[in-house]
């Protein structure tokens, strides 16, 4: 019994020292306690090496993301610029091809920018800074920035609720997350459709809703649409890369909130952003 009590007491000391980062072996004989301490030291050494390896990989990812972002920025900007110049001097025969080059270059630029944001968030190169602030001004700004895209399809964006509740969020990144939902709502809604935006104060969260009149999302796909690069069957007719919703989910998780989706009242989809109340 005495030996068991001694081992338990030493285990307690070992765990306390390991938490404090001060563990050292004290037994160097052939007893059970000595073997236990040796195993524990091996475990801690392996854990330290694994942590060091993860940190090195994270640093390598940061450098890679920075290099990719830097090296692709100028070439893509030049391609877009030269295609715009070519559009001005092209004849009717070549103009459609030049426009396709510009369109594909813009898609590539958007994809690289989005993947860069995701990588920076995943590797903690960017840390969100949530702070208490009213939600409605963010919603107004995001809607205003989407109206140009909506006007092309004669889509009306209606704000149906104007709650003045405050939430704890990062203004810039919350607007980015909401902008992704608004872009999708406009993209998948039919021409002359309506996109409804609402803001509602709840007990622990402020909820922002974005409802469209698009084709909707099948029930068996609801759990997958926030995965990276996933695109549902109903999304196939429209251009897309499947990273917008993944980025939205990641942003909200880092703010202590979340995003969910349900069927809309008019057959489309309704996405809800939940931000912690201030």
């Amino acid at each position: 019994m005495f030996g068991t009590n001694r081992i338990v007491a030493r285990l307690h000391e070992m765990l306390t020292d390991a938490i404090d980062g001060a563990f050292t072996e004290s037994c160097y004989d052939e007893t059970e306690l000595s073997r236990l301490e040796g195993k524990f030291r091996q475990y801690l050494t392996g854990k330290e090496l694994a942590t060091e390896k993860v940190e090195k990989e994270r640093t390598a990812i940061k450098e890679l993301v920075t290099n990719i972002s830097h090296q692709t920025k100028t070439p893509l900007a030049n391609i877009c610029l030269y295609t715009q110049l070519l559009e001005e001097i092209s004849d009717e025969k070549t103009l459609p091809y030049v426009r396709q080059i510009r369109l594909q270059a813009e898609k590539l630029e958007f994809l690289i920018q989005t993947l860069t944001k995701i990588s920076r968030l995943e590797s903690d190169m960017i840390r969100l800074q949530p702070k208490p602030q009213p939600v409605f001004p963010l919603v107004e700004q995001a809607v205003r920035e989407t109206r140009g895209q909506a006007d092309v399809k004669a889509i009306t964006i209606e704000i149906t609720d104007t709650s003045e509740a405050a939430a704890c969020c990062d203004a810039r990144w919350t607007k980015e997350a909401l902008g992704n939902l608004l872009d999708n709502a406009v993209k998948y809604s039919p021409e002359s459709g309506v996109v409804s935006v609402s803001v509602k104060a709840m007990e622990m969260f402020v909820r922002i809703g974005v409802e469209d009149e698009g084709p909707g999302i099948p029930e068996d796909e609801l759990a997958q649409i926030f995965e990276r690069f996933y695109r549902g069957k109903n999304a196939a007719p429209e251009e897309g890369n499947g990273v917008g919703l993944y980025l939205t989910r990641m942003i909200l998780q880092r703010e202590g909130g979340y995003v969910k989706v349900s069927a809309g009242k008019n057959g489309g989809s309704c996405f809800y952003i939940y931000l912690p109340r201030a």
Side-chain angles (χ1 to χ4, degrees):
M1 179 64 71
F2 176 76
T4 302
N5 289 339
R6 184 181 172 219
I7 291 175
V8 171
R10 180 53 186 152
L11 276 173
H12 179 74
E13 291 176 7
M14 288 162 56
L15 291 172
T16 302
D17 291 343
I19 292 171
D20 296 336
F23 172 76
T24 56
E25 292 181 66
S26 60
C27 292
Y28 299 95
D29 50 32
E30 295 299 322
T31 63
E32 188 70 26
L33 184 57
S34 175
R35 287 194 293 271
L36 184 62
E37 286 191 2
K39 289 285 187 183
F40 196 63
R41 165 48 62 194
Q42 289 177 12
Y43 165 75
L44 291 178
T45 301
K47 185 173 179 294
E48 289 168 4
L49 291 174
T51 302
E52 184 179 344
K53 181 180 178 182
V54 168
E55 192 57 39
K56 285 181 179 178
E57 290 176 350
R58 180 174 293 177
T59 301
I61 290 172
K62 288 180 181 180
E63 293 176 355
L64 177 63
V65 169
T66 300
N67 288 336
I68 290 174
S69 177
H70 178 72
Q71 296 294 335
T72 58
K73 187 182 234 181
T74 301
L76 280 171
N78 287 337
I79 291 172
C80 292
L81 174 63
Y82 290 138
T83 50
Q84 288 176 3
L85 295 174
L86 282 172
E87 280 186 271
E88 296 176 6
I89 62 174
S90 296
D91 55 32
E92 293 183 2
K93 185 177 180 180
T94 60
L95 185 59
Y97 300 105
V98 175
R99 285 177 174 167
Q100 274 300 313
I101 293 172
R102 178 176 59 80
L103 178 62
Q104 297 303 319
E106 289 173 351
K107 285 170 58 179
L108 180 59
E109 184 179 29
F110 173 79
L111 178 60
I112 290 175
Q113 288 177 353
T114 304
L115 290 176
T116 299
K117 291 173 187 175
I118 290 173
S119 297
R120 285 176 171 169
L121 285 170
E122 287 179 335
S123 60
D124 291 329
M125 290 175 68
I126 296 174
R127 292 185 182 274
L128 275 62
Q129 298 178 331
K131 63 181 181 180
Q133 56 193 297
V135 171
F136 190 66
L138 300 179
V139 173
E140 280 188 310
Q141 189 175 357
V143 168
R144 190 161 52 247
E145 293 177 3
T146 312
R147 286 201 188 278
Q149 178 186 348
D151 290 344
V152 174
K153 296 177 66 175
I155 289 174
T156 302
I157 302 180
E158 296 181 346
I159 301 179
T160 58
D161 194 342
T162 57
S163 172
E164 295 296 334
C168 191
C169 62
D170 183 304
R172 176 194 167 192
W173 287 97
T174 301
K175 187 159 67 69
E176 173 109 20
L178 178 57
N180 287 336
L181 300 186
L182 288 168
D183 287 344
N184 281 348
V186 170
K187 181 192 296 183
Y188 295 111
S189 288
E191 291 193 9
S192 303
V194 176
V195 172
S196 300
V197 182
S198 61
V199 182
K200 182 178 181 180
M202 308 179 77
E203 185 175 353
M204 297 180 63
F205 294 91
V206 178
R207 189 186 74 183
I208 305 172
V210 178
E211 184 174 354
D212 61 53
E213 296 179 343
I217 301 169
E219 188 173 349
D220 60 342
E221 294 182 358
L222 292 177
Q224 300 172 279
I225 60 170
F226 295 105
E227 295 177 4
R228 182 168 15 193
F229 298 122
Y230 183 83
R231 300 198 72 219
K233 296 187 290 289
N234 292 345
E238 298 290 340
E239 294 283 352
N241 46 49
V243 293
L245 291 179
Y246 178 80
L247 179 59
T248 292
R249 186 189 71 174
M250 184 184 300
I251 290 170
L252 293 169
Q253 285 178 340
R254 279 157 175 73
E255 293 182 310
Y258 61 98
V259 59
K260 62 183 293 187
V261 61
S262 63
K265 291 176 291 188
N266 298 316
S269 303
C270 191
F271 286 82
Y272 292 106
I273 284 176
Y274 291 83
L275 299 169
R277 285 197 68 170

